[in-house]
PDB file of all heavy atoms in Angstrom:
ATOM      1  N   ALA A 298     -12.605  13.464   2.118  1.00 98.00           N
ATOM      2  CA  ALA A 298     -13.620  13.626   3.168  1.00 98.00           C
ATOM      3  C   ALA A 298     -14.674  12.536   3.050  1.00 98.00           C
ATOM      4  O   ALA A 298     -15.134  11.974   4.055  1.00 98.00           O
ATOM      5  CB  ALA A 298     -14.260  15.003   3.062  1.00 98.00           C
ATOM      6  N   ARG A 299     -15.050  12.203   1.819  1.00 98.00           N
ATOM      7  CA  ARG A 299     -16.041  11.146   1.613  1.00 98.00           C
ATOM      8  C   ARG A 299     -15.482   9.776   1.982  1.00 98.00           C
ATOM      9  O   ARG A 299     -16.150   8.978   2.645  1.00 98.00           O
ATOM     10  CB  ARG A 299     -16.497  11.130   0.146  1.00 98.00           C
ATOM     11  CG  ARG A 299     -17.280  12.354  -0.269  1.00 98.00           C
ATOM     12  CD  ARG A 299     -17.736  12.216  -1.711  1.00 98.00           C
ATOM     13  NE  ARG A 299     -18.249  13.464  -2.244  1.00 98.00           N
ATOM     14  CZ  ARG A 299     -18.694  13.620  -3.487  1.00 98.00           C
ATOM     15  NH1 ARG A 299     -18.680  12.570  -4.316  1.00 98.00           N
ATOM     16  NH2 ARG A 299     -19.140  14.779  -3.912  1.00 98.00           N
ATOM     17  N   LEU A 300     -14.247   9.493   1.551  1.00 98.00           N
ATOM     18  CA  LEU A 300     -13.637   8.209   1.883  1.00 98.00           C
ATOM     19  C   LEU A 300     -13.482   8.058   3.391  1.00 98.00           C
ATOM     20  O   LEU A 300     -13.699   6.980   3.946  1.00 98.00           O
ATOM     21  CB  LEU A 300     -12.283   8.069   1.182  1.00 98.00           C
ATOM     22  CG  LEU A 300     -12.334   7.991  -0.351  1.00 98.00           C
ATOM     23  CD1 LEU A 300     -10.921   7.964  -0.920  1.00 98.00           C
ATOM     24  CD2 LEU A 300     -13.124   6.789  -0.829  1.00 98.00           C
ATOM     25  N   LYS A 301     -13.154   9.154   4.050  1.00 97.00           N
ATOM     26  CA  LYS A 301     -13.022   9.106   5.517  1.00 97.00           C
ATOM     27  C   LYS A 301     -14.367   8.866   6.182  1.00 97.00           C
ATOM     28  O   LYS A 301     -14.458   8.112   7.164  1.00 97.00           O
ATOM     29  CB  LYS A 301     -12.410  10.401   6.032  1.00 97.00           C
ATOM     30  CG  LYS A 301     -12.235  10.420   7.550  1.00 97.00           C
ATOM     31  CD  LYS A 301     -11.577  11.693   8.034  1.00 97.00           C
ATOM     32  CE  LYS A 301     -11.389  11.653   9.550  1.00 97.00           C
ATOM     33  NZ  LYS A 301     -10.716  12.879  10.060  1.00 97.00           N
ATOM     34  N   SER A 302     -15.412   9.485   5.658  1.00 97.00           N
ATOM     35  CA  SER A 302     -16.732   9.322   6.283  1.00 97.00           C
ATOM     36  C   SER A 302     -17.207   7.871   6.196  1.00 97.00           C
ATOM     37  O   SER A 302     -17.923   7.385   7.073  1.00 97.00           O
ATOM     38  CB  SER A 302     -17.754  10.250   5.621  1.00 97.00           C
ATOM     39  OG  SER A 302     -18.063   9.821   4.298  1.00 97.00           O
ATOM     40  N   LEU A 303     -16.802   7.162   5.131  1.00 96.00           N
ATOM     41  CA  LEU A 303     -17.197   5.765   4.958  1.00 96.00           C
ATOM     42  C   LEU A 303     -16.313   4.809   5.755  1.00 96.00           C
ATOM     43  O   LEU A 303     -16.742   3.720   6.121  1.00 96.00           O
ATOM     44  CB  LEU A 303     -17.126   5.389   3.477  1.00 96.00           C
ATOM     45  CG  LEU A 303     -18.174   6.050   2.578  1.00 96.00           C
ATOM     46  CD1 LEU A 303     -17.848   5.804   1.116  1.00 96.00           C
ATOM     47  CD2 LEU A 303     -19.564   5.522   2.904  1.00 96.00           C
ATOM     48  N   ASN A 304     -15.086   5.218   6.024  1.00 96.00           N
ATOM     49  CA  ASN A 304     -14.134   4.350   6.721  1.00 96.00           C
ATOM     50  C   ASN A 304     -13.198   5.232   7.551  1.00 96.00           C
ATOM     51  O   ASN A 304     -12.084   5.530   7.132  1.00 96.00           O
ATOM     52  CB  ASN A 304     -13.344   3.532   5.691  1.00 96.00           C
ATOM     53  CG  ASN A 304     -12.496   2.454   6.327  1.00 96.00           C
ATOM     54  OD1 ASN A 304     -12.408   2.338   7.544  1.00 96.00           O
ATOM     55  ND2 ASN A 304     -11.843   1.655   5.490  1.00 96.00           N
ATOM     56  N   PRO A 305     -13.635   5.661   8.731  1.00 96.00           N
ATOM     57  CA  PRO A 305     -12.877   6.646   9.512  1.00 96.00           C
ATOM     58  C   PRO A 305     -11.490   6.192   9.945  1.00 96.00           C
ATOM     59  O   PRO A 305     -10.589   7.019  10.094  1.00 96.00           O
ATOM     60  CB  PRO A 305     -13.772   6.893  10.734  1.00 96.00           C
ATOM     61  CG  PRO A 305     -15.142   6.495  10.291  1.00 96.00           C
ATOM     62  CD  PRO A 305     -14.929   5.346   9.359  1.00 96.00           C
ATOM     63  N   LYS A 306     -11.318   4.895  10.180  1.00 94.00           N
ATOM     64  CA  LYS A 306     -10.023   4.404  10.671  1.00 94.00           C
ATOM     65  C   LYS A 306      -9.555   3.220   9.826  1.00 94.00           C
ATOM     66  O   LYS A 306      -9.562   2.071  10.265  1.00 94.00           O
ATOM     67  CB  LYS A 306     -10.133   3.999  12.143  1.00 94.00           C
ATOM     68  CG  LYS A 306     -10.447   5.170  13.069  1.00 94.00           C
ATOM     69  CD  LYS A 306     -10.508   4.733  14.523  1.00 94.00           C
ATOM     70  CE  LYS A 306     -10.799   5.917  15.435  1.00 94.00           C
ATOM     71  NZ  LYS A 306     -10.855   5.518  16.870  1.00 94.00           N
ATOM     72  N   PRO A 307      -9.113   3.492   8.618  1.00 94.00           N
ATOM     73  CA  PRO A 307      -8.692   2.405   7.734  1.00 94.00           C
ATOM     74  C   PRO A 307      -7.340   1.837   8.161  1.00 94.00           C
ATOM     75  O   PRO A 307      -6.536   2.518   8.795  1.00 94.00           O
ATOM     76  CB  PRO A 307      -8.565   3.091   6.373  1.00 94.00           C
ATOM     77  CG  PRO A 307      -8.125   4.478   6.728  1.00 94.00           C
ATOM     78  CD  PRO A 307      -8.883   4.816   7.993  1.00 94.00           C
ATOM     79  N   THR A 308      -7.101   0.593   7.818  1.00 92.00           N
ATOM     80  CA  THR A 308      -5.800  -0.006   8.089  1.00 92.00           C
ATOM     81  C   THR A 308      -5.561  -1.130   7.101  1.00 92.00           C
ATOM     82  O   THR A 308      -6.442  -1.476   6.301  1.00 92.00           O
ATOM     83  CB  THR A 308      -5.707  -0.528   9.532  1.00 92.00           C
ATOM     84  OG1 THR A 308      -4.344  -0.918   9.806  1.00 92.00           O
ATOM     85  CG2 THR A 308      -6.626  -1.723   9.745  1.00 92.00           C
ATOM     86  N   ASP A 461      -3.717   8.405   6.365  1.00 96.00           N
ATOM     87  CA  ASP A 461      -4.623   7.294   6.055  1.00 96.00           C
ATOM     88  C   ASP A 461      -4.901   7.128   4.562  1.00 96.00           C
ATOM     89  O   ASP A 461      -5.573   6.176   4.167  1.00 96.00           O
ATOM     90  CB  ASP A 461      -5.956   7.490   6.787  1.00 96.00           C
ATOM     91  CG  ASP A 461      -5.816   7.340   8.293  1.00 96.00           C
ATOM     92  OD1 ASP A 461      -4.998   6.512   8.735  1.00 96.00           O
ATOM     93  OD2 ASP A 461      -6.519   8.051   9.029  1.00 96.00           O
ATOM     94  N   TRP A 465      -7.057   4.179   2.293  1.00 97.00           N
ATOM     95  CA  TRP A 465      -8.301   4.487   1.580  1.00 97.00           C
ATOM     96  C   TRP A 465      -8.185   4.153   0.101  1.00 97.00           C
ATOM     97  O   TRP A 465      -9.082   3.567  -0.494  1.00 97.00           O
ATOM     98  CB  TRP A 465      -8.658   5.968   1.750  1.00 97.00           C
ATOM     99  CG  TRP A 465      -9.237   6.304   3.079  1.00 97.00           C
ATOM    100  CD1 TRP A 465     -10.150   5.588   3.800  1.00 97.00           C
ATOM    101  CD2 TRP A 465      -8.932   7.459   3.867  1.00 97.00           C
ATOM    102  NE1 TRP A 465     -10.437   6.230   4.981  1.00 97.00           N
ATOM    103  CE2 TRP A 465      -9.708   7.374   5.050  1.00 97.00           C
ATOM    104  CE3 TRP A 465      -8.097   8.562   3.692  1.00 97.00           C
ATOM    105  CZ2 TRP A 465      -9.663   8.351   6.046  1.00 97.00           C
ATOM    106  CZ3 TRP A 465      -8.039   9.533   4.673  1.00 97.00           C
ATOM    107  CH2 TRP A 465      -8.818   9.417   5.841  1.00 97.00           C
ATOM    108  N   ALA A 506     -17.805   0.608   3.017  1.00 39.00           N
ATOM    109  CA  ALA A 506     -16.671   1.516   2.892  1.00 39.00           C
ATOM    110  C   ALA A 506     -16.118   1.435   1.487  1.00 39.00           C
ATOM    111  O   ALA A 506     -15.837   0.358   0.975  1.00 39.00           O
ATOM    112  CB  ALA A 506     -15.584   1.144   3.894  1.00 39.00           C
ATOM    113  N   GLY A 508     -13.365   2.323   0.730  1.00 39.00           N
ATOM    114  CA  GLY A 508     -11.937   2.112   0.880  1.00 39.00           C
ATOM    115  C   GLY A 508     -11.685   1.653   2.273  1.00 39.00           C
ATOM    116  O   GLY A 508     -12.546   1.451   3.058  1.00 39.00           O
TER     117      GLY A 508
END
Side-chain angles (χ1 to χ4, degrees):
R299 293 182 192 179
L300 294 176
K301 180 178 181 179
S302 70
L303 291 170
N304 189 356
K306 296 182 179 180
T308 189
D461 292 325
W465 283 319

